Amino acid sequence: VRYYFVPDSPFSFGVSDGGELRAMLLAAPAAGHPEVSDRWIRERLKPKEHVLFDEYKAYLDGNRMKEFGAAREDEVILSFFASAQRGCGRMLMEAFEGACHAHGYRSMLLWTDDTCDFSYYYHNGFEEVAKVPTEPTIRGQKLTTYLFRKPVCASC
């Protein structure tokens, strides 16, 4: 998750219940999105874990490059979205869309793959922008990367 964290982003939210994190959403404007440093993660791994980390990082970076290549300057990139409690995801998305609208952004963009419930996006107002083979692969799996866009401010 730290890979996707952008400090001071007004577009990142969490839902807690009794002090326990139940859901989170991390996002930042596409324009000026910072490069991710892997030093913090690498320092916490055992040397034998570096090979697996490098493979996952290449996978994430490859998909992020597809995302940044499709991004518009007037949109926010949704980098990480997870919910462990029914209903929390909808709360996060509503708060996120409200923040995008309040800051004058026209749309949001995200990537996902076959391992995620990407049908959620089809059913919640997202439009498929691209569907391409994932490169590089992860653990030899032949996955598909999906890019989705959703308008959040029709009048901005």
Side-chain angles (χ1 to χ4, degrees):
V1 173
R2 186 177 180 97
Y3 179 85
Y4 293 112
F5 179 67
V6 177
D8 303 321
S9 173
F11 304 104
S12 294
F13 302 91
V15 175
S16 296
D17 182 17
E20 187 175 325
L21 184 65
R22 304 305 301 156
M24 64 188 311
L25 184 152
L26 302 176
H33 205 285
E35 286 296 314
V36 178
S37 169
D38 65 353
R39 192 176 104 209
W40 185 89
I41 298 168
R42 190 173 289 289
E43 288 172 351
R44 285 152 179 82
L45 297 175
K46 297 176 180 125
K48 66 181 181 180
E49 296 170 323
H50 286 205
V51 171
L52 181 59
F53 171 76
D54 290 339
E55 184 178 8
Y56 273 97
K57 184 165 181 341
Y59 167 75
L60 293 173
D61 287 346
N63 283 307
R64 282 176 67 99
M65 291 301 102
K66 289 180 188 97
E67 187 176 51
F68 285 120
R72 301 174 183 155
E73 287 193 22
D74 63 350
E75 67 189 348
V76 176
I77 292 179
L78 195 163
S79 301
F80 184 83
F81 176 47
S83 178
Q85 185 171 326
R86 189 168 181 81
C88 289
R90 183 165 308 281
M91 289 172 40
L92 286 174
M93 288 302 288
E94 288 173 1
F96 175 53
E97 288 182 37
C100 290
H101 182 78
H103 286 85
Y105 287 91
R106 292 184 175 271
S107 60
M108 66 175 84
L109 181 72
L110 63 90
W111 73 266
T112 189
D113 65 27
D114 298 318
T115 66
C116 300
D117 181 13
F118 62 90
S119 65
Y120 168 90
Y121 302 106
Y122 289 118
H123 293 43
N124 285 282
F126 288 81
E127 175 187 328
E128 184 182 301
V129 176
K131 179 179 176 181
V132 296
T134 301
E135 284 295 328
T137 61
I138 186 69
R139 313 280 309 160
Q141 294 183 34
K142 298 202 184 285
L143 299 173
T144 300
T145 296
Y146 298 82
L147 290 176
F148 287 99
R149 177 172 284 125
K150 182 177 183 182
V152 293
C153 185
S155 63
C156 294

